[in-house]
Amino acid sequence: MAKTISAIRGTQDVLPGESYQWQYIEKTLLETASLYGYKEVRVPVFEQTDLFQRSVGDTTDVVQKEMYTFDDKGGRSLTLRPEGTAGSVRCLLEHGLYNEALPVKACYVLSCYRYEKPQAGRLREFHQFGIECFGAPESSADAEIIAVAHHAFERFGLKNIHLEINSIGCPECRAKYLEALREHFRKSEADLCETCKGRLERNPMRILDCKSPICGEIAATAPKMIDYICDDCRAHFEGVKTKLDAMGISYTVNPTIVRGLDYYTRTVFEFVSTEIGAQGTVCGGGRYDGLVEEMGGPHLPSLGFAMGLERLLMLMKAQGVPFPEDKKPELYVVPMGDAAQIAAAKYCEQLRREGFAALTDLNGRGLKAQMKYANKLNVGYTLVLGDDELSAGKANVKNMATGEQTQVALDNLTEEFYKIVMESAFDAMEVSVNDLGK
Ligand code: ATP
Ligand code: MG
């Protein structure tokens, strides 16, 4: 056999037996967002490198260390998207969506690419669900986007996810703060990591988000933005808190949250769990009032969040929340002989047209082997189709759970099978209604 090729480090396959979990997560998230007026946007996997440099910010870890950047055959520098906001803003501008009634609300499920050290909850290809709300300056918008994530966690039945919020002010009040930060970090400049030394003058706030333990230690005693925010930013932050309180969403103010990307202003937040190891931030987001303008668009105060789906799934498994069951095949038709195989193809296709998952033999196997296969697939019903059944025009549908057999007329198979399935569903309901009475 030829040598096999394995997957790239930091990537994961979703196997056929697990994909229903992903489908459930994605569907639930998109449905939740739609309750708040969000519509799905789909943007390309790669974009011009400039787009991410300008929007994510060239002093961030993402741009400095983590991007998958390459020249294509035409010599253009392209980058695999490390996140979804940049592409969404580009899409908004390119299609003039901001001319529509504001706010424009877009959501997405997408793969992201970051060259990071692979570990539990940290991959090189990972997936995010995100929302972007363009053109909404008021604090009610901040509270509402937080509510979307909160609502989704609640729908999944998740508990103990802590919401931490902070305000990192606006460019005006931040100028004073950045000076105070520089002063603080200059004192320990020699101990900072090389990347942070370069950040000291250009963007000292990035040092607060550095993952190096020494920088973290120096950052722990740094001045806090919350002590420097201006009256407008403070009032805005108070507005966010009041509305969260009104919606019954609890939070902690954590003055150390700054978020990893450059574009944030005012509100920043994270949903954090302690149950999935060191990479506990399941969702992060905030306001980015200047981003759209910086990307060449109008002044359009906007905000959003992104949720890491691998981390969400890890948390769901850690807490043992229920997933809806994967759909099982309803009927397996067991053909015995060539004529039966042709008839099985016909009957299965008729059943599928009515929405039943109907399977049949594709390997020319005998009765025993087919039944074994059907059992493995956990099918609801089987129907053995041989020459006798074909000439009689009748066959037995066997309920695999109860062993009960029901005769059906083959030329009316779909309708009669439908009745069998409905009756058994009805019986199951009666049982559960009776159970309720006990
Ligand atoms: P972290 O501090 O964990 O690196 P971040 O600030 O880089 O996170 P964001 O850019 O805000 O993360 O992305 C939003 C969410 O996407 C994160 O909260 C996390 O759940 C998820 N995420 C980010 N990077 C990865 C990764 N490499 N692998 C898996 N999930 C990730
Ligand atoms: Mg990161």
Side-chain angles (χ1 to χ4, degrees):
M1 273 206 288
K3 195 165 172 258
T4 57
I5 296 172
S6 51
I8 305 289
R9 205 161 104 83
T11 66
Q12 266 179 2
D13 296 311
V14 175
L15 302 182
E18 311 164 332
S19 51
Y20 73 98
Q21 298 178 342
W22 282 85
Q23 288 165 357
Y24 165 65
I25 287 177
E26 291 170 9
K27 184 165 169 273
T28 306
L29 289 166
L30 291 168
E31 264 174 25
T32 305
S34 83
L35 298 176
Y36 296 79
Y38 285 84
K39 291 194 177 170
E40 191 187 356
V41 65
R42 298 189 184 194
V43 294
V45 170
F46 51 73
E47 301 264 5
Q48 292 184 38
T49 300
D50 279 356
L51 176 74
F52 301 112
Q53 277 172 344
R54 274 172 61 187
S55 68
V56 175
D58 55 10
T59 57
T60 58
D61 272 356
V62 170
V63 169
Q64 287 189 325
K65 304 177 186 167
E66 298 171 2
M67 291 205 307
Y68 276 93
T69 298
F70 58 96
D71 287 344
D72 74 357
K73 288 190 175 22
R76 302 167 201 89
S77 179
L78 303 182
T79 294
L80 301 185
R81 60 186 173 212
E83 50 93 68
T85 300
S88 304
V89 171
R90 191 220 18 89
C91 168
L92 171 96
L93 297 180
E94 199 156 333
H95 300 277
L97 302 181
Y98 51 84
N99 293 316
E100 294 168 14
L102 295 176
V104 173
K105 291 175 162 184
C107 59
Y108 49 75
V109 174
L110 42 77
S111 56
C112 299
Y113 303 85
R114 297 186 191 179
Y115 195 76
E116 299 198 72
K117 192 166 167 250
Q119 54 200 285
R122 195 174 289 286
L123 294 149
R124 290 182 173 171
E125 181 187 64
F126 63 99
H127 296 80
Q128 288 186 341
F129 165 76
I131 67 170
E132 313 288 344
C133 178
F134 297 109
E138 299 295 320
S139 59
S140 35
D142 306 56
E144 192 183 91
I145 66 159
I146 291 173
V148 177
H150 180 267
H151 190 142
F153 292 139
E154 227 173 53
R155 275 196 167 202
F156 289 125
L158 288 166
K159 297 192 184 73
N160 300 325
I161 308 181
H162 306 286
L163 168 61
E164 303 190 347
I165 61 171
N166 189 24
S167 174
I168 57 169
C170 61
E172 283 88 78
C173 52
R174 209 181 292 163
K176 245 200 303 171
Y177 174 61
L178 294 183
E179 225 11 83
L181 264 189
R182 282 193 192 97
E183 212 171 291
H184 173 82
F185 286 123
R186 269 188 208 120
K187 282 187 236 154
S188 325
E189 188 174 349
D191 298 328
L192 293 174
C193 77
E194 287 311 306
T195 318
C196 284
K197 278 185 187 136
R199 288 164 164 166
L200 182 54
E201 290 310 316
R202 289 181 63 205
N203 193 349
M205 249 169 105
R206 287 275 61 85
I207 305 174
L208 298 174
D209 207 39
C210 181
K211 302 268 188 310
S212 126
I214 298 172
C215 296
E217 214 173 281
I218 302 168
T221 52
K224 306 274 185 277
M225 181 64 221
I226 199 100
D227 299 324
Y228 287 78
I229 60 174
C230 62
D231 291 347
D232 283 354
C233 287
R234 189 172 299 280
H236 193 275
F237 192 45
E238 288 308 313
V240 177
K241 292 196 270 182
T242 308
K243 279 140 208 159
L244 288 175
D245 291 338
M247 288 190 279
I249 298 173
S250 48
Y251 55 84
T252 322
V253 175
N254 178 350
T256 66
I257 296 181
V258 291
R259 309 287 308 122
L261 315 180
D262 262 359
Y263 44 62
Y264 288 107
T265 51
R266 292 193 163 169
T267 315
V268 288
F269 64 88
E270 291 182 351
F271 283 89
V272 188
S273 160
T274 53
E275 292 167 77
I276 50 169
Q279 318 307 326
T281 307
V282 182
C283 174
R287 176 170 279 284
Y288 44 88
D289 283 347
L291 180 64
V292 175
E293 207 171 354
E294 232 168 82
M295 300 307 292
H299 176 65
L300 203 65
S302 303
L303 61 169
F305 70 68
M307 194 181 281
L309 298 189
E310 283 80 5
R311 293 187 195 174
L312 173 68
L313 190 62
M314 278 166 73
L315 186 58
M316 291 172 72
K317 288 180 178 168
Q319 293 196 6
V321 301
F323 286 91
E325 267 185 53
D326 200 4
K327 190 174 162 62
K328 305 275 186 289
E330 276 133 336
L331 181 65
Y332 188 95
V333 179
V334 186
M336 306 301 300
D338 291 346
Q341 200 149 27
I342 295 166
K346 179 179 82 176
Y347 293 133
C348 282
E349 196 55 20
Q350 285 172 358
L351 286 153
R352 293 173 194 136
R353 287 199 180 111
E354 295 307 314
F356 291 112
L359 307 189
T360 186
D361 175 56
L362 303 177
N363 301 61
R365 283 193 280 232
L367 176 70
K368 224 170 128 194
Q370 287 196 52
M371 290 309 280
K372 203 167 148 195
Y373 181 66
N375 264 322
K376 244 196 187 140
L377 297 179
N378 210 358
V379 298
Y381 299 86
T382 53
L383 179 152
V384 176
L385 199 59
D387 290 341
D388 290 352
E389 283 79 7
L390 285 179
S391 58
K394 289 189 181 125
N396 283 333
V397 168
K398 180 176 176 189
N399 182 326
M400 296 299 279
T402 62
E404 193 185 339
Q405 305 229 22
T406 314
Q407 201 180 60
V408 290
L410 288 173
D411 60 4
N412 198 25
L413 175 60
T414 305
E415 209 168 290
E416 295 192 19
F417 182 65
Y418 178 78
K419 264 196 222 141
I420 294 171
V421 171
M422 290 316 282
E423 268 165 24
S424 119
F426 193 67
D427 286 350
M429 260 164 55
E430 280 199 328
V431 168
S432 59
V433 170
N434 290 342
D435 284 348
L436 282 178
K438 277 179 199 155

